[in-house]
Amino acid sequence: MRIATYRHHNQRHVGQVSADGLHITAFDVTPDVAHHGALRLIEAVMAGGTLPTLSSHTVAVADVHLEAPIPVPRRNIWCVGRNYHEHAKELSTSVFKDSNTNTQAWPIVFTKVPECVVGPFDDVQLPGAAISDQIDYESELAVIIGHGGKNIKAADAMKHIYGYTIVNDVTARDVQMRHQQWDMGKSFDTFCPMGPWLVTADEMDGTHTRVRGVVNGEQRQDGPTENMIFDIPTLIETISRGITLYPGDIIATGTPAGVGMGLKPPRYLQKGDVVRVEIDGIGHIENKFV
């Protein structure tokens, strides 16, 4: 199943996307539930309930404004750095130069604030050169937690996944490096495009898919998730060590090689650039930087 959050006639809805991806049928929910997108639905199902009934309100995807499937995350988005082998190499002398040189010791984990989430086709706001002129893209598969828990074992981790979506972990590289921890450089307003919808775990396997990043029509990133240094079960096990994960929590799983900072010379995003992130089994998001 694909679950989308969207606006139609200036009202937010959450609905089920048709198999061909062309139509959305709204769930029969209150405006308060719809305000949180898929989050309240996931929480209800995990508490032993069922998805709401579908209404008679069906619209064409082309006629709505798609939003992030979880437009109001309950808390910060969990993110993983240096999780593809070639990406670890391309930034080994910059972003990762002060990190443990043993890339397989522990995952690098940071967060992005919930307020930076925007929709799959929304504009991303460049902060201006006075704040940062080193804005970069990171194409990523995101895991959405279903069953929560603490100290989840890797062997059980896949049972805790409700579904998957796409994020672009937009980053101000100079700010990221300046502060020696990454949250500030990752959390600017609009720096987390997400979508186009949530695909439930019974429809795809995030451990066997492909992540691509395209800038102005030029493919720069292409990596199978099998190339992750730490696989999805290990990430869930690590992040839940001593920390309770909740239904609807989001984990961005890292980016393949080909980011702007890793090119020679580096190529940071400029006004008017368009970044498209594609993941097999989900679809794509595409955002203009303004």
Side-chain angles (χ1 to χ4, degrees):
M1 180 186 299
R2 285 179 280 186
I3 298 174
T5 301
Y6 60 99
R7 285 195 175 273
H8 188 240
H9 296 322
N10 205 32
Q11 183 174 347
R12 179 174 285 170
H13 301 271
V14 57
Q16 181 176 326
V17 181
S18 61
D20 60 10
L22 297 179
H23 296 87
I24 306 177
T25 302
F27 288 109
D28 188 7
V29 297
T30 65
D32 178 66
V33 171
H35 173 74
H36 296 274
L39 178 59
R40 294 289 182 257
L41 276 62
I42 296 170
E43 290 173 336
V45 170
M46 293 305 108
T50 60
L51 287 172
T53 57
L54 292 170
S55 71
S56 58
H57 181 69
T58 297
V59 293
V61 170
D63 293 336
V64 306
H65 178 82
L66 287 170
E67 300 189 304
I70 300 181
V72 188
R74 68 159 65 236
R75 58 179 179 179
N76 284 24
I77 298 159
W78 299 100
C79 303
V80 180
R82 198 177 67 174
N83 201 32
Y84 285 75
H85 293 281
E86 293 303 313
H87 179 58
K89 293 176 183 177
E90 71 177 348
L91 298 189
S92 62
T93 60
S94 53
V95 171
F96 305 135
K97 64 182 176 64
D98 295 322
S99 302
N100 188 333
T101 56
N102 179 6
T103 59
Q104 300 186 50
W106 289 95
I108 297 172
V109 181
F110 59 95
T111 66
K112 296 170 79 80
V113 298
E115 292 79 8
C116 70
V117 171
V118 293
F121 304 105
D122 291 345
D123 289 344
V124 176
Q125 301 290 326
L126 294 169
I131 296 174
S132 174
D133 60 0
Q134 297 183 9
I135 307 305
D136 208 350
Y137 52 88
E138 294 193 356
S139 307
E140 306 201 14
L141 172 71
V143 171
I144 299 176
I145 294 296
H147 290 289
K150 183 167 69 173
N151 301 327
I152 299 167
K153 298 300 183 185
D156 300 322
M158 298 300 287
K159 294 183 288 188
H160 288 260
I161 296 174
Y162 188 82
Y164 302 90
T165 192
I166 301 171
V167 301
N168 184 347
D169 176 19
V170 183
T171 306
R173 293 297 186 192
D174 46 355
V175 178
Q176 176 189 23
M177 297 182 66
R178 175 194 308 154
H179 294 284
Q180 301 182 55
Q181 61 81 28
W182 299 354
D183 290 24
M184 290 187 66
K186 298 281 192 172
S187 292
F188 288 11
D189 293 351
T190 73
F191 269 28
C192 191
M194 182 188 298
W197 36 60
L198 179 163
V199 178
T200 53
D202 60 331
E203 286 207 2
M204 72 169 289
D205 181 355
T207 64
H208 300 286
T209 188
R210 199 168 198 96
V211 179
R212 300 177 182 86
V214 180
V215 181
N216 299 329
E218 174 194 0
Q219 184 168 300
R220 296 190 186 174
Q221 296 184 279
D222 186 359
T225 53
E226 291 93 330
N227 283 4
M228 287 181 179
I229 297 172
F230 299 98
D231 62 17
I232 290 171
T234 301
L235 296 180
I236 293 173
E237 179 180 72
T238 300
I239 293 169
S240 71
R241 287 168 61 95
I243 297 173
T244 300
L245 295 181
Y246 294 99
D249 274 352
I250 302 163
I251 301 173
T253 59
T255 194
V259 299
M261 190 181 202
L263 302 176
K264 300 186 185 302
R267 296 165 65 184
Y268 296 113
L269 296 171
Q270 306 296 321
K271 187 174 182 178
D273 285 346
V274 176
V275 180
R276 179 184 176 103
V277 183
E278 306 170 351
I279 298 183
D280 295 345
I282 302 178
H284 74 277
I285 64 175
E286 184 170 292
N287 306 89
K288 184 176 182 180
F289 285 69
V290 300

